[in-house]
Amino acid sequence: MTTRSPQPSRRTLLRALAALPASAVLLGELPGLAGTALAAAPPSGSATRYTIVPFLNSNDGTVNVYQSDDATDFRLLKSSAYTPPGNRIRDASVLKHTDGYYYVTYTTHTWQDVSTTIGFARSSDRANWTFLYDYTVPITNLSRAWAPEWFVDSDGSVNVIVSCSLTSDEWIFTPYRLRATNSALTAWSSPVALSGIGSNHIDTYIVRNGSTYHAFTKNETTKYIEYATASALGGPYTISRTGDWAGWGSYREGPSVIQLDNGGWRIFFDGYGDGTYYYSDSYDTFATWSTPTALPVVSGTARHFTVIKETVSGGPSLAKNVTRSFQSANYSTRYWQTQSSLLNLPVVTGSSTSAEKTASTFTVVAGLADSNGYSFRDSSGNYLRHWDFRARFDTNDGSSTFAKDATFIARTGSSSGSIRWESYNYPGYFLRHYNYQLRVERTNGTDLFRQDSSFVPVTAWG
């Protein structure tokens, strides 16, 4: 295992969250999911679940379904989960509707062909899908209707934002809004162009935070993802960020934005110019973003997707205000232990000394930064936290920074009964052992990483 340290700017961005008022990170309605999970760690026994339905770099005739509990390490739920009865499936956007079903809407033809329809399919379990219909977008002289994206507004209305071009210039796209006029999602209002974004923009994705609508849209000339805001879904939008404003680079498309459990925002986008799928995080309401990072597992395979987030049952369960020891899932004789204020993973047995057993015993308490998360105290009352990505125990200084460094979110481990501990303020970074030392490291999506970062809570040694 090779440690890959994050960019220095990332800590600066994440630390900035401490200075934000609570109102700055409250969750508005997210597109693609009515009644979505709030920005908080899931309670004990529940789990956060992110779902994507991408078409494949090698095949735009079918889609895979992937799921993740951390928005970083996506695991295959089902390959070729849906193949439409005719035509293609590209740019699939997924929605969890109020009827309990999942819906996808998608581009129905290859990029070379005239494409005046968008497709719809439905599933009860995200793995098995049923074709519903192809909908002809009613725009005179329409050439192409691409990249339909779900958006659920605060009034519960279900919308599709679709990029359309005319026969007079088939490569100049404008975003239009379609609004469902029935709960079955089979009837739609007449398309209306979003005011202010204008032509030559494609793949427009919208999130609502508070009373503001935030649009992320690709400029087809520059190939940069631009940023606009409005006070109403239909606009008028003001484009305030152009060029390489976020540091994502050009030849980027298919943006999708979701709020993470710690209140930050993550954008996913298709770096089709270099064959990489990226993510990037913001902690100041979209003003600045972390250095884009390749999404493990699916990068190079998946193309243009959107993400939905849910809180579901069946997550890790661990009582609080109790003492436990933590056993490595893949080195069963080794346990967490405090050694000179650092967290290591030595062998602990019945014949270990009383001091060693005490140093391998920890009190599990509610997370300092999020009561649904977890914090851990050693026998001297110091808290487990990360510092320069090393796991160590320090006195709580009462700061917001310390609280975040000392809070971990429980994610399902690699084996039955095991738990992975994700850093609260470094999403996608987990407590992981290497050379029998514990560090906070970014997941690389491998089975070995999941095993190295999985620990079983057991009866306390001390």
Side-chain angles (χ1 to χ4, degrees):
M1 185 279 300
T2 301
T3 302
R4 182 180 180 182
S5 298
Q7 297 292 326
S9 60
R10 185 176 178 86
R11 177 170 284 267
T12 301
L13 287 170
L14 292 165
R15 295 286 193 225
L17 184 60
L20 294 176
S23 61
V25 294
L26 290 177
L27 177 65
E29 291 291 337
L30 288 179
L33 184 59
T36 186
L38 295 176
S44 181
S46 297
T48 302
R49 185 173 72 191
Y50 302 88
T51 301
I52 62 175
V53 186
F55 78 97
L56 309 180
N57 191 46
S58 59
N59 183 1
D60 65 358
T62 190
V63 289
N64 291 349
V65 178
Y66 298 85
Q67 62 184 12
S68 172
D69 59 4
D70 58 20
T72 306
D73 183 5
F74 283 89
R75 295 287 165 135
L76 183 66
L77 176 65
K78 187 175 182 180
S79 63
S80 299
Y82 172 62
T83 301
N87 302 319
R88 305 283 89 188
I89 176 168
R90 301 170 64 91
D91 317 326
S93 180
V94 61
L95 162 77
K96 176 71 177 293
H97 193 31
T98 53
D99 62 5
Y101 284 95
Y102 299 86
Y103 290 78
V104 291
T105 182
Y106 53 91
T107 304
T108 57
H109 291 76
T110 65
W111 67 270
Q112 300 100 325
D113 296 339
V114 171
S115 180
T116 60
T117 61
I118 55 176
F120 291 87
R122 186 176 74 172
S123 172
S124 61
D125 59 6
R126 299 174 301 131
N128 301 284
W129 294 82
T130 300
F131 171 75
L132 295 178
Y133 62 96
D134 285 341
Y135 176 73
T136 300
V137 178
I139 295 177
T140 302
N141 298 322
L142 179 65
S143 174
R144 286 166 172 79
W146 282 6
E149 315 278 9
W150 295 108
F151 179 84
V152 179
D153 210 345
S154 57
D155 61 1
S157 63
V158 179
N159 303 268
V160 170
I161 309 300
V162 58
S163 301
C164 296
S165 69
L166 304 180
T167 54
S168 56
D169 198 332
E170 60 186 351
W171 303 119
I172 299 297
F173 289 86
T174 300
Y176 285 79
R177 173 193 180 188
L178 304 172
R179 181 176 55 83
T181 57
N182 64 6
S183 60
L185 308 182
T186 56
W188 300 90
S189 66
S190 297
V192 177
L194 297 184
S195 174
I197 292 180
S199 62
N200 207 35
H201 289 87
I202 194 171
D203 298 352
T204 300
Y205 190 90
I206 298 173
V207 295
R208 184 177 184 270
N209 187 33
S211 60
T212 301
Y213 296 80
H214 304 260
F216 298 81
T217 183
K218 177 193 176 190
N219 183 307
E220 269 291 75
T221 297
T222 67
K223 312 301 182 184
Y224 288 114
I225 295 172
E226 299 182 342
Y227 170 73
T229 55
S231 59
L233 176 57
Y237 286 86
T238 299
I239 298 177
S240 58
R241 298 289 186 271
T242 60
D244 196 17
W245 66 278
W248 298 327
S250 62
Y251 290 87
R252 308 299 192 228
E253 66 182 16
S256 178
V257 181
I258 201 79
Q259 194 166 39
L260 302 173
D261 285 344
N262 70 353
W265 295 86
R266 175 163 292 182
I267 187 170
F268 301 85
F269 54 85
D270 187 349
Y272 66 101
D274 55 28
T276 304
Y277 224 102
Y278 292 98
Y279 68 91
S280 176
D281 297 342
S282 175
Y283 287 84
D284 51 12
T285 318
F286 315 131
T288 59
W289 295 82
S290 64
T291 301
T293 301
L295 196 63
V297 181
V298 301
S299 183
T301 299
R303 295 293 312 277
H304 193 146
F305 58 74
T306 65
V307 186
I308 58 166
K309 176 186 178 184
E310 304 170 85
T311 297
V312 297
S313 61
S317 181
L318 180 62
K320 293 171 180 173
N321 301 313
V322 297
T323 57
R324 291 287 183 269
S325 293
F326 292 87
Q327 178 187 43
S328 168
N330 57 347
Y331 288 86
S332 60
T333 62
R334 294 182 175 271
Y335 297 78
W336 289 8
Q337 186 178 101
T338 307
Q339 296 180 342
S340 300
S341 296
L342 299 176
L343 184 60
N344 294 324
L345 197 72
V347 172
V348 181
T349 68
S351 60
S352 296
T353 67
S354 177
E356 289 171 333
K357 291 178 180 179
T358 297
S360 301
T361 298
F362 306 93
T363 302
V364 181
V365 297
L368 297 181
D370 183 334
S371 61
N372 283 348
Y374 294 83
S375 293
F376 306 92
R377 289 198 307 259
D378 66 11
S379 60
S380 64
N382 291 331
Y383 284 84
L384 173 65
R385 57 92 62 94
H386 61 81
W387 179 257
D388 284 342
F389 307 101
R390 183 71 161 92
R392 55 176 293 118
F393 286 84
D394 286 317
T395 301
N396 182 5
D397 63 10
S399 68
S400 179
T401 293
F402 186 96
K404 292 176 174 64
D405 284 352
T407 299
F408 298 86
I409 300 176
R411 307 298 190 191
T412 301
S414 63
S415 58
S416 178
S418 69
I419 299 174
R420 296 179 301 133
W421 297 105
E422 184 183 19
S423 167
Y424 177 82
N425 55 350
Y426 280 68
Y429 286 68
F430 290 82
L431 281 173
R432 186 259 179 101
H433 68 78
Y434 178 66
N435 281 345
Y436 309 123
Q437 297 178 346
L438 273 291
R439 300 181 58 85
V440 172
E441 295 189 347
R442 178 187 287 153
T443 178
N444 60 17
T446 65
D447 289 339
L448 177 61
F449 187 98
R450 292 177 69 89
Q451 294 161 11
D452 285 351
S453 58
S454 295
F455 302 92
V456 182
V458 297
T459 302
W461 278 107

